[in-house]
Structures are given as C-alpha cells and as structure tokens.
C-alpha cells in the first residue's frame, strides 16, 4: 500500500453559488422606525437580487442581481454584501474583480458573517488579491470556526496541521477536522480519515479511516479509491464493522442538519 498523505490538504473557498438557495439574512433586531424602513427596503432589494440570480419567477440575469445586491449591500445588508462579493469573485454579472470581492467579503465578515470570514481567510491563505498572510488567515478562520462554519473549521484544521500561522498541532487539527466532519463537510471527512490512516494526532485506526472515507465517498468520488486501498489491509469482518460505523455516523450527521 502506498503511503497516504494528509499533509497537502485544503484551502477551500466557501463561495455561495448563485444556483443554490440564497444566503439568509440575519434575524431582525429592534430598530428605530427610519432604520427599520431602510433595512426593510434593503431586504426587498436583496430578495429581488436572489430571484434574478436564481431565475426564480424571472429570467436569470446576474447583472440585475448584482445591481440589486449592490443597493442592499450599501445599506449594510450582510447577505447582500456576501453575495455581491461572490459575483465579483466569479465575474457573474460584473467584471471579475478580486479586490471588490475581498472588499465586500470584508464588510460582511466584519459584521460577523461566518461564511465571509472563512472566504476572507481563504484569500489571505492563498495570497490571491492580497499579500499572503497566514496569521491573518488563521484569525478569520478562527472567527468562522467559532460560529461552527464547517469550512472555516476545516480550513483552520489545515493551518494547524501544516503549521501555517500557528505552531503545528496535529491533535488540534484532528479535533477540528472531527468537528467539521460531524457537521457533514465531506472534505473534512476525507482529511479526518487520512489522519486516522496515518496516525496523525490520533492512534492509527483503519476502521475509523474506512468509515469516514465511506461517508466522504458519497460526495467525493476519489475517497472511494482511498477507502478501497485501506480495505486491502482489513479483514472482511472489519470492513463490515466499518460500514456499520459509517451508516450509524451518517444517521447522526443527518439528525444534526
């Protein structure tokens, strides 16, 4: 069996695709009458942007979605800021502009949006659009992880595993990947399995590695080949046990959603 490696893992963008359900607004808070009306208008603009982005009841039009998001974002609407950043990131309805993406993610992140905090961390970790700054990436990932954002948790785990911006800490990386994996994030499930297979931050455990790869393979096809390689080191009874573990974990993960 060739060595399994969990050292070259992920720095994943957690970008909101326009084809998925719209990012929700934060719960309303008590506001003065004038401010309430302003934010109510921003919500209407945001929801119209979502309809244009998804083609719901109207012809899909990213440029109109961007215009709606921009109006709402200028009023401080967090989800609109996030979605506008995503459009700039991908050049949908607006010219591709990483600086604008970073600016709008930054505004949403500073208002506490976990997905935007993670995405901002991605830019700092990758050095795209900004000077690479691992410590700053860790700061934003940590904020996202504190809100249980699974991508933020997984990306923070990767930083601890690689010793980027923080001292190398395999047990902490293992703990963080576990948190993200149990929230259904397939990449974290794959990476957690590799840590089990390699004995990184945890006692080597092929049953657990097989079980997590079985779960991850439902989303990541390549995980199936890793699972099968580990299966070559196991008995049929052990494989059956691992599959039962995976089935039970899937039920637990589904129950949390």
């Amino acid at each position: 069996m060739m060595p399994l490696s969990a050292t070259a893992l992920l720095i994943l963008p957690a970008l909101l695709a326009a084809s998925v359900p719209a990012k929700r607004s934060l719960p309303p808070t008590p506001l003065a009458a004038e401010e309430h009306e302003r934010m109510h208008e921003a919500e209407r603009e945001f929801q119209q942007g979502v309809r244009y982005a998804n083609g719901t009841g109207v012809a899909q039009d990213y440029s109109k979605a961007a215009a709606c998001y921009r109006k709402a974002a200028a009023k401080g609407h967090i989800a609109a800021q996030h979605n506008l950043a995503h459009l700039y990131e991908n050049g949908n309805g607006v010219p591709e502009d990483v600086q604008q993406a970073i600016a709008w993610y930054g505004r949403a992140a500073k208002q506490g949006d976990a997905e935007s905090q993670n995405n901002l961390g991605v830019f700092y970790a990758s050095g795209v659009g900004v000077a690479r700054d691992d410590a700053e990436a860790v700061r934003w990932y940590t904020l996202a992880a504190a809100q249980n954002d699974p991508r933020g948790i997984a990306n923070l785990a990767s930083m601890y595993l690689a010793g980027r911006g923080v001292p190398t800490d395999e047990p902490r990386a293992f703990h963080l990947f576990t948190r993200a994996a149990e929230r259904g994030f397939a990449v974290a499930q794959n990476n957690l399995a590799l840590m089990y297979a390699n004995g990184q931050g945890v006692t080597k455990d092929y049953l657990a590695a097989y079980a997590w790869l079985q779960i991850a393979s439902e989303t990541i096809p390549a995980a199936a080949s890793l699972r099968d390689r580990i299966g070559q080191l196991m008995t049929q009874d052990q494989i059956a046990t691992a599959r039962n573990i995976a089935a039970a974990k899937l039920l637990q993960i589904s129950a949390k959603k």
Side-chain angles (χ1 to χ4, degrees), residues 32-254:
E34 183 178 341
E35 178 67 6
H36 177 80
E37 177 55 32
R38 187 174 74 89
M39 292 312 297
H40 186 63
E41 182 181 4
E43 179 65 19
R44 289 197 301 268
E45 291 164 343
F46 167 71
Q47 293 297 341
Q48 185 62 36
V50 170
R51 286 190 283 273
Y52 278 122
N54 292 338
T56 304
V58 294
Q60 187 178 56
D61 189 325
Y62 287 126
S63 63
K64 289 182 179 179
C68 292
Y69 288 152
R70 187 177 291 105
K71 291 177 183 178
K75 296 180 177 71
H77 194 289
I78 297 173
Q81 291 171 346
H82 176 99
N83 289 8
L84 181 59
H86 173 260
L87 294 183
Y88 274 115
E89 167 102 23
N90 293 279
N92 291 330
V94 292
E96 185 175 323
D97 190 329
V98 174
Q99 296 302 323
Q100 283 289 324
I102 292 171
W104 285 109
Y105 279 135
R107 290 177 68 169
K110 288 173 183 176
Q111 292 198 76
D113 182 60
E115 291 181 10
S116 295
Q117 289 168 345
N118 172 71
N119 292 354
L120 202 56
V122 170
F123 283 109
Y124 280 108
S126 62
V128 173
V130 292
R132 175 171 155 172
D133 188 334
D134 288 346
E136 188 69 0
V138 167
R139 184 172 80 86
W140 287 111
Y141 289 151
T142 299
L143 289 170
Q147 298 189 68
N148 289 321
D149 179 77
R151 291 168 178 80
I153 296 169
N155 283 336
L156 183 59
S158 291
M159 301 301 273
Y160 275 106
L161 187 61
R164 292 182 54 189
V166 288
T168 301
D169 189 335
E170 290 185 353
R172 188 161 187 178
F174 171 81
H175 170 71
L176 289 164
F177 277 134
T178 300
R179 278 180 59 194
E182 290 177 346
R183 284 167 174 77
F185 187 38
V187 175
Q189 293 164 352
N190 182 83
N191 292 353
L192 179 62
L194 291 175
M195 295 196 78
Y196 271 117
N198 291 328
Q200 291 177 281
V202 66
T203 302
K204 186 177 291 189
D205 186 336
Y206 287 144
L207 265 71
Y210 189 103
W212 280 113
L213 287 169
Q214 174 71 14
I215 295 169
S217 67
E218 296 194 355
T219 305
I220 304 174
S225 63
L226 286 173
R227 176 203 63 202
D228 293 343
R229 285 168 57 192
I230 290 172
Q232 294 173 11
L233 303 175
M234 301 165 62
T235 66
Q236 289 302 308
D237 285 345
Q238 288 174 327
I239 290 173
T241 298
R243 287 182 177 273
N244 288 336
I245 292 171
K249 285 188 180 296
L250 273 172
L251 288 175
Q252 293 171 357
I253 291 168
S254 297

